Amino acid sequence: MRFEIEPNNGAPIFEQLVRQIKFAVAEGILVPGQMISSTRDLAKQLAINPNTVQRAFAQLQGENVLEVQRGRGVSVCVDAKKHCVSQRRELLGERMAAVIQEAINSGLGAEQITSLFEQNLKRLSR
Amino acid sequence: MRFEIEPNNGAPIFEQLVRQIKFAVAEGILVPGQMISSTRDLAKQLAINPNTVQRAFAQLQGENVLEVQRGRGVSVCVDAKKHCVSQRRELLGERMAAVIQEAINSGLGAEQITSLFEQNLKRLSR
Amino acid sequence: MRFEIEPNNGAPIFEQLVRQIKFAVAEGILVPGQMISSTRDLAKQLAINPNTVQRAFAQLQGENVLEVQRGRGVSVCVDAKKHCVSQRRELLGERMAAVIQEAINSGLGAEQITSLFEQNLKRLSR
Amino acid sequence: MRFEIEPNNGAPIFEQLVRQIKFAVAEGILVPGQMISSTRDLAKQLAINPNTVQRAFAQLQGENVLEVQRGRGVSVCVDAKKHCVSQRRELLGERMAAVIQEAINSGLGAEQITSLFEQNLKRLSR
DNA sequence: GTGGTCTAGACCACG
DNA sequence: GTGGTCTAGACCACC
């Protein structure tokens, strides 16, 4: 299990972590029922503050993605996958829509936006 | 000249304004040499604080997009258009690339990402 | 009689004009007793606001460099030259001292500052 | 780390601070990677408003001299020194050139300007 | 604790 | 009238 944190991304670190854990569950990298690294370990791995990990975990508990096994650690909820799969599409769709909207507002036409998309997709998908 | 400010966008208001002014110059809505609405007027139009407008102007001065005509107001730099056109592509490209990267990291394949893009583009481009 | 105004110099335009008129008197380009261009003409020549010229003239009257000949115009005071010569050295000395002081504060040694001075002098004095 | 702010200098306070921080990095007084005093502390030390410090910091971030460590504070960019060293020479050179240019325009010859420089350097460099 | 943003209002310099 | 600067204080997000 490996996450990519970009500290100067603009997006809060805890939120990056929340999204990536959801995506990992959606993708099947994290399996329902599976125990997750401890808060402290994960913080060490990612070189971030344990409180930040804690905050991400807290939010994920609130969304029934993670649950605490008292005294043992944190695990993925057994029924989290379906939720995460739909969330993945939703979360990515929101960002995608926001970019497209800004491009439209800036005066670009559909073809130009499509070209922008395809160039970047090609560049990144190797 | 009309800008759309979304106060609860996550993005700072002054930054939204900076981007939109650049895009307006790129698009030719703001013509090089043209005087821009005064700080106070623009603040009134957008229902935001004059200092917020000023902050946007200050940043745009630092990037040689705007220049102050002392005692007269603020105008678009004569050679700003080229810079703004390239910046528009760059700024939008960065956001687009970030979305695509996150989608890739989340396990989606190129077709799925393309589908996500096309759906949203179609929905928004009317 | 030709003055060089740099609108985006940081220094107020009226002050640039005040200094240059003083220097012109010191140098003998403006002769005591000589009539000076009218406010309006000078403003047109320099492409600045007549009020700005007016403000410079007002300050120079306060320092007994210029005097109004009622109904005829503005002339250089007959005894202005001596004052202007000494002012020239003083005004330039102040600016020179300020630069040197900042250079010292920034950690440069006397040799480095001298080198900075000589390079620029050489470059500009052709 | 000690800065000298002159409130009635003509130069804006935030700009004085920007220059002095750059010079401190150039001189090695501020080391790349080093955390800087917090905005609030620095404001207290200098007896100025925290927002004024913030404005200086914001500009220095835009020039890649400082960077924020989210939630921890502000530090000097690791590769800032080279930039600051060259900027120091450039910034001081600009002011020096401006003074020399004005002296030349005022009719002084190279020897007189040199004398003006040497007198002030001698006086200030003890 | 840190910095970031925004608002409000005062004052000034300039034209 | 214009913009520039500074102060003051509130609120927020993040760690």
Side-chain angles (χ1 to χ4, degrees):
Chain A
M1 182 166 108
R2 193 76 195 127
F3 300 114
E4 304 283 347
I5 299 298
E6 304 176 36
N8 299 318
N9 195 16
I13 294 174
F14 82 91
E15 195 181 310
Q16 294 181 43
L17 193 49
V18 166
R19 290 172 79 97
Q20 291 186 30
I21 290 176
K22 283 181 185 171
F23 293 167
V25 175
E27 190 59 14
I29 296 171
L30 288 179
V31 187
Q34 180 183 349
M35 297 302 290
I36 220 175
S37 304
S38 80
T39 301
R40 268 186 293 278
D41 281 359
L42 197 48
K44 226 174 249 173
Q45 279 176 38
L46 302 176
I48 61 180
N49 192 302
N51 288 333
T52 307
V53 178
Q54 177 56 36
R55 183 164 176 181
F57 281 9
Q59 180 165 334
L60 288 164
Q61 285 172 50
E63 298 188 54
N64 296 314
V65 174
L66 299 184
E67 61 189 346
V68 286
Q69 310 277 359
R70 295 231 314 232
R72 298 183 48 230
V74 176
S75 68
V76 181
C77 291
V78 289
D79 56 351
K81 181 158 183 177
K82 206 183 86 184
H83 178 237
C84 286
V85 167
S86 80
Q87 277 247 314
R88 173 169 60 173
R89 191 161 189 86
E90 190 182 331
L91 292 171
L92 292 171
E94 280 171 8
R95 285 191 68 185
M96 183 64 89
V99 176
I100 294 173
Q101 186 62 61
E102 191 185 31
I104 291 173
N105 290 342
S106 85
L108 294 192
E111 330 73 46
Q112 288 170 296
I113 300 173
T114 301
S115 138
L116 197 66
F117 167 76
E118 286 174 348
Q119 278 184 21
N120 279 286
L121 178 61
K122 195 154 137 197
R123 182 167 61 82
L124 295 169
S125 67
R126 337 165 217 151
Chain B
M1 183 166 108
R2 194 76 197 127
F3 300 114
E4 305 283 348
I5 300 298
E6 304 175 35
N8 299 318
N9 196 16
I13 293 175
F14 81 92
E15 197 181 309
Q16 295 181 41
L17 193 50
V18 166
R19 290 175 80 97
Q20 291 186 29
I21 290 176
K22 283 181 185 170
F23 293 165
V25 175
E27 191 60 13
I29 296 172
L30 289 179
V31 187
Q34 179 183 350
M35 298 301 290
I36 222 176
S37 303
S38 84
T39 303
R40 292 167 173 81
D41 279 358
L42 197 48
K44 232 175 242 171
Q45 281 177 36
L46 302 177
I48 60 180
N49 191 291
N51 285 334
T52 306
V53 178
Q54 174 113 353
R55 182 162 177 185
F57 281 9
Q59 180 164 336
L60 287 164
Q61 282 175 56
E63 299 187 54
N64 295 315
V65 173
L66 299 183
E67 63 188 344
V68 280
Q69 312 275 3
R70 296 221 312 218
R72 298 186 49 233
V74 174
S75 68
V76 181
C77 290
V78 289
D79 55 350
K81 181 157 184 177
K82 207 183 86 184
H83 178 238
C84 285
V85 168
S86 80
Q87 276 247 314
R88 174 169 59 173
R89 192 161 188 87
E90 191 182 330
L91 292 172
L92 291 172
E94 279 172 9
R95 283 191 69 183
M96 183 64 89
V99 176
I100 294 173
Q101 185 62 61
E102 191 184 30
I104 291 173
N105 290 343
S106 84
L108 295 191
E111 330 76 44
Q112 289 170 296
I113 299 172
T114 303
S115 137
L116 197 66
F117 167 75
E118 286 175 347
Q119 278 182 22
N120 280 286
L121 178 61
K122 196 155 139 196
R123 182 168 60 84
L124 295 169
S125 67
R126 340 165 215 152
Chain C
M1 180 167 110
R2 195 75 196 129
F3 300 114
E4 305 282 348
I5 300 298
E6 304 176 35
N8 299 318
N9 195 17
I13 293 174
F14 82 92
E15 195 181 311
Q16 294 180 43
L17 192 50
V18 165
R19 292 173 79 97
Q20 291 186 30
I21 290 176
K22 284 180 183 170
F23 294 167
V25 175
E27 191 60 12
I29 296 171
L30 288 179
V31 187
Q34 178 183 350
M35 298 302 291
I36 219 174
S37 303
S38 79
T39 302
R40 267 186 293 279
D41 281 357
L42 197 48
K44 227 174 249 173
Q45 279 177 39
L46 302 177
I48 61 180
N49 192 305
N51 288 334
T52 307
V53 178
Q54 177 56 34
R55 182 163 178 181
F57 282 8
Q59 180 166 334
L60 288 163
Q61 285 172 49
E63 299 188 54
N64 296 315
V65 174
L66 298 183
E67 61 188 347
V68 287
Q69 309 278 359
R70 294 232 315 231
R72 296 184 48 232
V74 177
S75 68
V76 181
C77 291
V78 290
D79 56 350
K81 180 157 185 178
K82 207 183 85 185
H83 178 236
C84 286
V85 168
S86 81
Q87 277 247 312
R88 172 167 62 172
R89 192 163 188 86
E90 190 181 331
L91 292 171
L92 291 171
E94 280 171 8
R95 285 191 68 184
M96 182 65 89
V99 176
I100 293 172
Q101 186 61 61
E102 191 185 29
I104 291 172
N105 290 342
S106 84
L108 294 191
E111 331 75 44
Q112 289 169 296
I113 299 174
T114 303
S115 139
L116 196 66
F117 167 76
E118 287 174 347
Q119 278 184 21
N120 279 286
L121 178 61
K122 196 155 139 198
R123 182 168 61 84
L124 295 168
S125 67
R126 336 163 217 153
Chain D
M1 182 167 108
R2 194 78 196 126
F3 300 113
E4 306 283 346
I5 299 299
E6 305 175 36
N8 300 319
N9 195 16
I13 295 175
F14 81 92
E15 199 181 306
Q16 294 180 42
L17 193 49
V18 166
R19 289 175 80 98
Q20 291 186 30
I21 289 176
K22 283 180 187 171
F23 293 165
V25 174
E27 191 60 12
I29 296 171
L30 289 178
V31 186
Q34 180 183 351
M35 297 302 290
I36 222 177
S37 303
S38 84
T39 302
R40 292 165 174 81
D41 279 358
L42 197 49
K44 231 175 243 171
Q45 281 176 37
L46 302 176
I48 60 181
N49 189 290
N51 285 334
T52 306
V53 177
Q54 174 112 352
R55 182 165 177 183
F57 281 9
Q59 181 164 335
L60 288 164
Q61 282 175 55
E63 300 188 53
N64 295 316
V65 173
L66 298 183
E67 62 188 344
V68 281
Q69 313 275 3
R70 297 224 310 223
R72 297 186 49 232
V74 175
S75 69
V76 181
C77 289
V78 288
D79 56 350
K81 180 156 186 177
K82 209 184 83 183
H83 177 238
C84 285
V85 168
S86 81
Q87 276 248 313
R88 173 168 61 172
R89 191 158 189 88
E90 190 181 331
L91 292 172
L92 291 171
E94 278 171 10
R95 285 191 68 184
M96 182 65 89
V99 175
I100 293 173
Q101 185 62 62
E102 190 182 31
I104 292 172
N105 290 343
S106 84
L108 294 192
E111 330 74 43
Q112 288 170 294
I113 299 173
T114 302
S115 138
L116 196 67
F117 167 76
E118 286 175 348
Q119 279 183 22
N120 279 286
L121 178 61
K122 196 155 138 195
R123 182 169 60 82
L124 295 168
S125 66
R126 340 162 215 152

